[in-house]
Amino acid sequence: FYSETFKIKIRILRLSNVYGRKSEGSNFIDYLLFNKSEKLEIFNPKDRRDFIHVSDVCEAIVKSFKDFRNNKLYEIYNIGSGISYSKEEIIQILNLGNRCSFKNDQTIISDTVYDIEKAVQAFDWIPKIDLIKYLKLKKG
């Protein structure tokens, strides 16, 4: 409405699950990496999520400002990795299974993965940080 009324070009970036030491414990990856508790409570471990590193998000934001040549006033772009991982997979990579207690209160496993092609094309942007490599580096 605002965009159409005032003829202002607006871009909305929908961020997937951002990780990367932005705030210890406030997201799943950082919760696992920086939580010193003996037991970690994990809900719905088979659920899958698309994770994106904060530096890739920052690059997408900067690139989103550079080119407003298209004629559309209002656009929404997904910013993610385009790949989903289960909480269980991430816990296995970090060898934290012995510290985790699992609780499953769902009958359906969700799989959230972002289609990032629109952002890739519009901003000439592609995520650079691979979650698995990041986790293995942090684990070591």
Side-chain angles (χ1 to χ4, degrees):
F1 170 80
Y2 192 85
S3 176
E4 288 181 18
T5 302
F6 297 103
K7 303 299 181 218
I8 296 173
K9 290 187 177 189
I10 295 174
R11 286 189 171 165
I12 295 174
L13 304 182
R14 284 184 64 229
L15 308 179
S16 64
N17 297 278
V18 181
Y19 69 93
R21 189 95 180 187
K22 63 183 178 76
S23 176
E24 289 185 17
S26 68
N27 62 66
F28 184 69
I29 301 296
D30 292 342
Y31 171 74
L32 293 178
L33 289 173
F34 304 113
N35 193 318
K36 304 300 180 204
S37 300
E38 293 250 344
K39 276 293 184 192
L40 305 173
E41 197 168 41
I42 309 298
F43 291 90
N44 305 316
K46 295 194 183 301
D47 279 351
R48 302 180 68 82
R49 297 288 179 263
D50 186 333
F51 295 93
I52 183 85
H53 192 273
V54 66
S55 64
D56 287 326
V57 170
C58 292
E59 183 183 9
I61 291 168
V62 169
K63 287 190 169 197
S64 75
F65 285 112
K66 290 189 176 181
D67 184 8
F68 274 90
R69 288 180 287 182
N70 71 27
N71 292 329
K72 294 185 178 181
L73 286 175
Y74 177 77
E75 288 281 351
I76 299 174
Y77 299 91
N78 291 329
I79 305 299
S81 67
I83 304 167
S84 66
Y85 296 96
S86 72
K87 295 173 186 177
E88 207 169 45
E89 289 172 301
I90 293 165
I91 289 165
Q92 286 174 354
I93 290 166
L94 293 171
N95 294 323
L96 294 175
N98 59 337
R99 287 183 52 206
C100 296
S101 66
F102 299 99
K103 298 192 185 313
N104 192 5
D105 62 359
Q106 293 176 306
T107 55
I108 297 173
I109 297 169
S110 67
D111 188 1
T112 304
V113 59
Y114 278 28
D115 179 353
I116 62 171
E117 191 59 30
K118 186 175 174 183
V120 168
Q121 294 301 316
F123 312 148
D124 190 28
W125 166 82
I126 192 153
K128 293 181 177 77
I129 308 285
D130 176 84
L131 175 62
I132 303 304
K133 288 178 185 174
Y134 177 86
L135 293 174
K136 288 180 179 177
L137 179 69
K138 291 295 181 180
K139 179 179 88 171

